Each structure stands twice: as structure tokens, then as C-alpha cells.
Amino acid sequence: MIETRVCKAFGLQYPIFQGGMAWVSDAALASAVSKAGGLGIISAMNADADYLRGQIRACKAEVGELPFGVNIMLMSPHADEVAQVVIDEGVPVVTTGAGLPSRYLPAWNAAGIKAVPVVPSVAIARKVEQQGAAAVIAEGGESGGHVGDLTTIVLVPQVADAVDIPVLAAGGIADGRGVAAAFMLGAEGVQCGTRFLTAVECTVHPNYKKKILAAGDISTITTGKRLGHPVRVLKNQFARSFAALEYDSSVSNEEIERFGAGALRKAAVEGDEKNGSFMAGQIAAMIHDEKTCREIITDLFAQADEVLAGAAKWVR
Ligand code: TUI
């Protein structure tokens, strides 16, 4: 049994957040995670206020009084309106990604929302702590989707040393060894995204699940560095074409952006194995089964307990 400040602060049985993945993390997945004792998170992705309102209400109908969260992707054209929806709908926890949430933090704090930004560096972690974040998610570049430069093993202990609020580790965690390692680095919780992609309750296209289950250790690459927002995806025809365009100096950034537009939807909704962008973390290689959210969470923490309890075996 692992109990940390994250359990207490967010009202959780297990100190785990489910990553807010665009086109993946809907009310069905989030409510299943919250009912299993973790924090389920709905992705606001690039959608508008009406979509998010509908998802929040569907999630609440399932979870009742249990906590859940919303992830706001700050590059979304609808970021301002969804930042207000979470206040209007009484969402207890908001995580943010792909930018600094500074301009929203005063209103969220005033509304009693616990804000938990994803941070890719120590400086950003310090900044959001000063601005009133309840915790931070230190996300290493092993993650899927939009990634920072530093690895989880390097980032987490530095962020844990730099801030007093609780730190959750993300990036490369999909089994109990990863959870235990995160705690050894100073984290008091974890966030997992890729692990939940193959959850029974995850409504993503079956081809997406199939590709995660088939992934090996070097199945992902990061594309988009030239555009200033590197994204980790599974290698396929889309990823190779995107990378080729990036290395072609005769192609403009606008053309590359256009090539990538809509590709995540093609993967997650249509299951288009050639033209879809299958965002996934490096840990996809260690995911071999489709389990319920409850099984995923109880297995993660049972193994973490076992690993941590046996951790003294080398110590003399
Ligand atoms: O946000 C994510 N992962 C994402 S967002 C996304 S949607 C997307 N699609 C295409 C291109 C780009 C994004 C897919 N996956 N993770 C959290 C995360 N946040 N990773 C890195 C950051 C981050 C980066 C910079 C957080 C703050 C930050 O601040 C610095 C700044 O200059 O804004």
C-alpha cells in the first residue's frame, strides 16, 4: 500500500493520474480510471466548450463524488473557452500541457480548482509553483505526443529538489518497477498515458491498440523538432514521410504543419495505419495485454509494493 501527499491532496486510493491524450482520453476512459481509485482525466484536446461540457457531464454521471480531471492542451485554439468551462462545471483538477498556464492559474485557484501543470524543466516547475500550482507532473521525453528534451530519470529528481509541492513522474512508466523507480527519484505519484491506451475501457480504434501491443523497443521516433514542438509517435508511413519533409529544406514549415493536420484523428478514430499519427511513449514495447483500468492500476501498485519491499536486498 503506497500512500503519499498525492493521495491525500487529490482524494485518491492510488497516486496515479491517467494522461490526458487527445482523441483518446474521453469520459469512458476517465470515469473507469477514477472508479478504479486513480485520477481519470478527460482531454479537452482541440475541441470547443460544448464538447468538453458534454464529456464532463458524462464523466460526472459515472463517477458521482469521485475526483476526476480535465487536461487542457494550451496550444488549442479553444484554450480560453475551455479554461472557463472547467470553472463553470466545477471540475476538481485541471492538468495542462504544451505551454505555460500562467494566465489561467489565478482564476482556477480562486475557483478552488487544483491545477497540475506538466513541466519539462526545473525553471517551469518553479514558476508554476510560485503561481499556485497544487502539484506538477515532471514528464520525460520517453512519453508519447508532445515531448520535452530531458529524460524522466534526469528530470524527476531535479524537479523534486526544486519545488515543495508534490511531483508526479511521467514518461516511460507502465509497470510496477517504473512506479517504484519514480518514487525512488522523489516523485509522490505517477502519470501514465500509453499504458491506458490498451485499457478495455479505452475507446480508441482497435488498430491503435494493436500497434501499441506490437511495438518493440525502437518502434517510436520524435518528429516535429524543426517546428519547435517535437512529438513522439510510432514509426509508420506517416511518421517516415513527416520526417523526410522535415529534412527537406525546400519544404516550408507551413507545408509540414498542413501535412500533419488531422493525422492523430486518423489514427485514433479511423485506425488509418498508413496515414495516421500514432502518438505513443517508448514504453509501448512493454505493454502486452489489454486489461481493465482496475487491473492496470492494481497490478501496477501490487508490483510496486513488491519491488519497494524487496529494495533492501542489495544493502549490507
Ligand atoms: O502536452 C503534452 N503532450 C501532447 S499535447 C499533444 S497535441 C499536439 N499535437 C501536435 C503537435 C503538438 C501537440 C500531444 N501530446 N504533454 C505535456 C507536455 N507539456 N509536454 C511538454 C510540455 C510543455 C512544454 C513547454 C509544457 C510547458 C512548456 O512551457 C514552455 C513554453 O515555452 O511554453
Side-chain angles (χ1 to χ4, degrees), residues 20-22 45-46 71-75 96-101 117-121 124 137 139-140 143-148 191 229-232 257 260 264 277 279:
M21 299 169 280
M45 49 183 196
N46 277 330
N71 173 258
I72 299 187
M73 210 278 280
L74 296 165
M75 279 162 44
T96 63
L100 278 176
V118 170
V119 297
S121 70
I124 292 177
I137 301 166
E139 186 186 276
S143 306
H146 180 53
V147 289
Q191 173 168 281
H229 44 80
V231 172
R232 182 176 297 286
E257 295 274 14
L264 179 58
S277 170
M279 295 185 185

